Amino acid sequence: MVRGKPWCLGQHERVLSRASGAVTPETDRQAAVSDREMALAWMAAPGLLLLLGLPGGAWPSLGPPRRPCVQCCPPAWPPAAPGPYARRSDGERWVQPPRMRPTIDVSILKGEKGETGVRGPSGRSGQEGPPGSRGLRGRKGQKGQAGLPGTACRRTYAAFSVGRREGLHGTDGLRAVPFDTELVNLDGAFDLASGRFLCAVPGVYFLSLNVHTWNYKETYLHIMRNREATAVLYAQPSERSVMQTQSLLLPLAAGDTVWVRLFHRDRDNAIYGEPGDLYITFSGHLVKPAAEL
């Protein structure tokens, strides 16, 4: 069989050669391959002739449809400068394309969080910093428990107030003025008959004496501490009777006595009084005990 003959003539010659025994199996296989190649060439010949007859402007539209270029990875930053072989635009020469630097997203390669490690030794204490500003006032705390009861507070009192309703004349020299009316007498420290107050609580006392003078008669009295005249109440004789007052602060010790003395001189000395009214009064009270002085 001669290469380049039509496929049908090659087939006919190969059948005759096989019948005569002149063709071996190896030559028969090679001949079959050549026949298939020839058949394919005869089938593609009309298409090639058709393409050769088309004008030059129709060539770019042939072939499979072109797909737009899609960037599959993020661009490198900063972008590389264009080389001498990258094409800038149509009609220009080709220049070298920029060198792309691949980047890797580290977040997708991050593994799972590991276990907490062993706590290390404590470091040395640092220097003391400056004091901070004062904080806000905190809430009021709870009420505490009641404490043990304390000792009772000892308060000392001493007071008296007495009066006399009848008048009195000083014809017998010196005499203590007695009283017949008790207004206040704490602990019975004032004796009405003798007209004396016995001090049981030492300290500072306030004393006050009030009398009514007699017409045309002298009034002359002393406020006595024991046998000492501490203050005097005096009024000259006059046509009119008046109220006279004397008061003072006097320190007294325990056992001291306080009383009013009517003093007699050449003139008639008297104090006025009526049974229905109280004109003569003598009062005193403790201002501050000696223990607190």
Side-chain angles (χ1 to χ4, degrees), residues 41-127:
W42 281 101
M43 292 174 63
L48 293 175
L49 294 175
L50 180 61
L51 292 175
L52 292 174
L54 292 175
W59 285 96
S61 60
L62 297 179
R66 298 181 180 179
R67 296 181 180 178
C69 180
V70 179
Q71 187 173 352
C72 59
C73 59
W77 189 260
Y85 302 103
R87 185 177 180 180
R88 301 180 181 275
S89 62
D90 294 341
E92 296 183 3
R93 69 182 184 90
W94 287 83
V95 296
Q96 184 179 357
R99 180 178 297 178
M100 306 300 293
R101 296 182 181 178
T103 58
I104 301 176
D105 190 358
V106 182
S107 61
I108 64 176
L109 301 179
K110 185 178 181 181
E112 297 181 356
K113 184 178 181 180
E115 298 180 355
T116 305
V118 180
R119 185 175 182 179
S122 301
R124 294 181 299 177
S125 300
Q127 297 181 357

Side-chain angles (χ1 to χ4, degrees), residues 174-237:
L174 302 177
R175 59 179 301 184
V177 177
F179 296 89
D180 55 19
T181 303
E182 183 180 280
L183 301 175
V184 174
N185 190 10
L186 298 183
D187 300 329
F190 195 93
D191 184 14
L192 294 178
S194 62
R196 283 176 169 81
F197 168 74
L198 179 62
C199 177
V201 181
V204 177
Y205 284 77
F206 176 79
L207 303 175
S208 176
L209 175 63
N210 298 296
V211 297
H212 191 283
T213 62
W214 207 308
N215 295 348
Y216 302 106
K217 294 183 179 181
E218 185 181 40
T219 302
Y220 197 175
L221 301 169
H222 287 107
I223 298 177
M224 306 291 295
R225 178 178 58 186
N226 300 327
R227 302 181 66 86
E228 174 189 4
T230 58
V232 61
L233 187 153
Y234 178 78
Q236 293 181 350

